[in-house]
Amino acid sequence: MLDAAFFRRWMTATAASVDREAERLTALDSPIGDADHGSNLQRGFTAVTAAVEKEDPQTPGAVLTLAGRQLISTVGGASGPLYGTLLRRTGKALGDAGEVSETQFAEALRAGVDAVMTLGGAAPGDKTMIDALVPAVDALGDGFVAARAAAEEGALATTPLQARKGRASYLGERTLTSGASSRAQDAAGAAWMMSSTVL
């Protein structure tokens, strides 16, 4: 069973990973974005860890809802609303339970991913974070390690794709040579941190 402490560790580990990878995320973003993705996520997850420490939410749903709210209010561009929606909707789907099973978490995370797809209008194959999130959720029933591997594979599979959604889509065919989607790669990174939290 997964309790609030697990989700707090996930947010803390993700914040530390974003700190380490901020420059790389910005470099990935610069050919097709405005070269601030790493610093935006850094600011957001710093706010998340501060809020979680201060407010000390006691349920898995409360941890994720609080984290999502912080990302929406502190991360610029589309990333704040997208990642914030993912976490808030997942948290709301978990409800007030003090502990949740991996199956319940997988179902709630699917609701979060569906909300992101509705908000951004993206689908698998559009060279976005969805290309990492959907495979991760599909594989989560087989465990966190499987979800991590599926997210990483999904992110890398965006390399030859042309972006059809988000800011990168404005560049058209130039995104065919821009490498993997930066949003898909940081979504895969979040899945990696989640799996590391339980291993």
Side-chain angles (χ1 to χ4, degrees):
M1 296 295 282
L2 308 174
D3 59 8
F6 168 84
F7 290 94
R8 287 194 295 268
R9 289 194 306 273
W10 180 27
M11 293 299 102
T12 301
T14 300
S17 179
V18 167
D19 276 342
R20 285 191 308 273
E21 298 293 326
E23 288 185 20
R24 186 178 72 83
L25 291 170
T26 294
L28 285 168
D29 185 47
S30 56
I32 56 174
D34 48 10
D36 64 354
H37 185 54
S39 59
N40 274 338
L41 282 184
Q42 220 172 4
R43 181 173 58 253
F45 277 99
T46 296
V48 166
T49 54
V52 166
E53 185 175 324
K54 179 181 178 183
E55 297 189 28
D56 193 26
Q58 295 299 302
T59 66
V63 173
L64 296 182
T65 301
L66 173 61
R69 197 166 59 241
Q70 291 301 312
L71 292 177
I72 289 170
S73 67
T74 59
V75 177
S79 294
L82 292 171
Y83 280 108
T85 294
L86 174 68
L87 296 179
R88 281 184 64 185
R89 184 64 187 90
T90 300
K92 286 182 181 180
L94 291 175
D96 296 326
E99 294 182 327
V100 297
S101 68
E102 289 183 22
T103 300
Q104 289 171 312
F105 176 50
E107 291 168 356
L109 189 58
R110 185 171 301 281
V113 172
D114 288 346
V116 171
M117 288 195 290
T118 299
L119 177 65
D126 284 340
K127 198 168 187 166
T128 69
M129 64 195 295
I130 296 303
D131 292 299
L133 291 173
V134 168
V137 171
D138 289 345
L140 193 52
D142 295 324
F144 290 108
V145 172
R148 174 179 74 187
E152 290 171 347
E153 192 174 303
L156 289 176
T158 66
T159 301
L161 300 179
Q162 179 173 327
R164 294 190 299 235
K165 291 292 179 183
R167 186 176 186 140
S169 66
Y170 303 149
L171 300 177
E173 291 183 0
R174 286 184 284 169
T175 61
L176 292 169
T177 58
S178 65
S181 162
S182 60
R183 284 10 176 224
Q185 289 197 45
D186 55 56
W192 187 90
M193 293 313 303
M194 177 176 56
S195 72
S196 298
T197 301
V198 295
L199 296 177

